Amino acid sequence: LRAIAQRAYERQELFHRRMQERGVKPADIQSLDDVARLPFMVKTDLRDSYPFGLFASPMQDVVRVHASSGTTGKPIVVAYTREDVQVWTSVIVRTLAACGLHQGDIIHNAYGYGLFTGGLGLHYGAEALGASVIPISGGNTDRQIMVMKDFGVTAICCTPSYFIHIMERAGELGVDIRKLPLRAGIFGAEPWTEGMRQHIEANSGIKAYDIYGLSEIIGPGVASECRCQKGLHIFEDHFLPEIIDPETQKNLPDGAEGELVLTTLSKYAMPMIRYRTRDITCFYPEACPCGRTGRRIRRIGRRSDDMF
């Protein structure tokens, strides 16, 4: 934490200025609890610094750039060094393994490829897992169903609402999803309910897993459900989580509902210190039956700002 704060202090003008306003230096960070002394970052900081204002690495060290769609103005731009891509790959490997996937699986990746982080994020991790990856991206649902059937797909990565559309279209085409080898869905990029999970599982015969991430932090791979489906494990060696009261901005104890705040501990190109996600959740205080020790958050159901 101290090292990443030092990097941001030296290389991000915005963070440096806010630290000076608070009278705090990176050396003042003596424990993880001292994260509360650091300033918050919010989405408008990324828009205001468009395109490269928050980069902490020179462009020659940046091997990948992603961006949001920019439908509300300037897009949010995020960057990755080679080491950042390796971290991203490793947390997706954990994500897929937590959902019971392994070498030998045939993974149908219907997240969008391009500036959106979903497609390439899942792709690199699935390849590193040793699975066979079908980089089909989004759209053309009839073709997606044909490929799932003909290629013997065992897992699908997409938004839950798109998979429901696939289920409905498959029924219209006379394809029984239940008879396919498909056994797992890795669903994220939008909020969804327990009712949607039950609908998907009951009508497709697969296990539907929730994953969580933000482009501003790394993309998919911040947190994932395991096969117990009892909350999402945050990969705390890379992402330091806090739950705060969105009004008072004070830290809340385990079990209390509040806004999730994340600090990247291993991102070089663009460190994000105390990023306010606006997502409302809580920590589960008890251990997970799966044996993983990373803290779990409740499924994201709503946000503290203006839209889902």
Side-chain angles (χ1 to χ4, degrees):
L1 175 63
R2 191 186 301 128
I4 208 71
Q6 183 70 42
R7 184 177 183 85
Y9 187 79
E10 292 173 356
R11 299 176 180 228
Q12 287 179 328
E13 183 184 341
L14 178 69
F15 183 74
H16 186 96
R17 186 172 72 248
R18 287 179 178 170
M19 288 282 278
Q20 286 189 317
E21 288 168 357
R22 287 182 168 226
V24 179
K25 289 193 166 69
D28 297 331
I29 306 303
Q30 298 297 318
S31 72
L32 289 180
D33 290 339
D34 287 335
V35 71
R37 302 182 65 184
L38 300 176
F40 291 108
M41 299 181 79
V42 294
K43 183 169 277 192
T44 52
D45 293 335
L46 284 91
R47 288 207 176 102
D48 294 345
S49 61
Y50 174 89
F52 305 147
L54 289 179
F55 286 18
S57 295
M59 207 63 193
Q60 67 190 44
D61 294 336
V62 171
V63 299
R64 180 94 65 81
V65 174
H66 282 283
S68 69
S69 59
T71 51
T72 53
K74 292 286 190 183
I76 285 166
V77 180
V78 292
Y80 303 79
T81 64
R82 192 174 305 281
E83 294 84 0
D84 295 338
V85 172
Q86 290 169 350
V87 167
W88 194 10
T89 298
S90 72
V91 291
I92 294 295
V93 169
R94 292 184 201 177
T95 294
L96 298 175
C99 299
L101 304 189
H102 47 69
Q103 186 174 9
D105 271 306
I106 301 173
I107 299 178
H108 184 98
N109 188 10
Y111 283 116
Y113 282 68
L115 287 177
F116 172 60
T117 55
L120 284 169
L122 266 296
H123 184 109
Y124 272 54
E127 280 189 345
L129 183 72
S132 304
V133 188
I134 302 169
I136 198 158
S137 195
N140 199 341
T141 304
D142 289 9
R143 181 166 171 260
Q144 301 249 4
I145 294 165
M146 179 192 76
V147 167
M148 288 167 63
K149 184 163 158 279
D150 294 348
F151 290 19
V153 166
T154 60
I156 185 168
C157 304
C158 63
T159 63
S161 57
Y162 186 58
F163 185 73
I164 289 173
H165 176 64
I166 287 175
M167 286 165 46
E168 292 168 350
R169 181 61 183 151
E172 293 169 1
L173 295 173
V175 175
D176 187 350
I177 293 275
R178 292 171 161 281
K179 292 186 177 174
L180 302 182
L182 190 69
R183 71 172 201 281
I186 313 303
F187 300 132
E190 66 186 15
W192 54 305
T193 64
E194 190 59 33
M196 283 176 73
R197 191 212 303 269
Q198 291 168 5
H199 172 71
I200 288 170
E201 293 188 343
N203 290 280
S204 68
I206 71 169
K207 290 276 275 183
Y209 296 102
D210 191 19
I211 64 171
Y212 176 73
L214 305 90
S215 296
E216 302 94 305
I217 299 299
I218 200 167
V222 174
S224 173
E225 282 189 325
C226 63
R227 296 177 78 176
C228 298
Q229 296 176 309
K230 296 179 182 293
L232 294 93
H233 295 270
I234 291 187
F235 301 123
E236 289 186 274
D237 49 339
H238 297 295
F239 315 107
L240 178 65
E242 305 169 75
I243 302 288
I244 67 164
D245 182 314
E247 300 301 325
T248 67
Q249 302 180 2
K250 300 296 184 186
N251 284 71
L252 297 174
D254 286 1
E257 183 181 84
E259 180 183 338
L260 179 64
V261 172
L262 292 167
T263 296
T264 57
L265 297 176
S266 55
K267 196 155 185 229
Y268 291 112
M270 197 170 146
M272 296 302 289
I273 311 292
R274 301 196 83 197
Y275 182 74
R276 294 188 60 173
T277 67
R278 305 294 182 182
D279 292 323
I280 300 297
T281 184
C282 67
F283 288 128
Y284 287 120
E286 66 277 359
C288 182
C290 78
R292 288 175 178 82
T293 56
R295 273 187 295 181
R296 289 172 299 143
I297 55 170
R298 192 185 63 202
R299 170 202 294 274
I300 305 295
R302 60 191 180 90
R303 303 195 64 183
S304 65
D305 63 358
D306 56 344
M307 62 182 175
F308 285 110

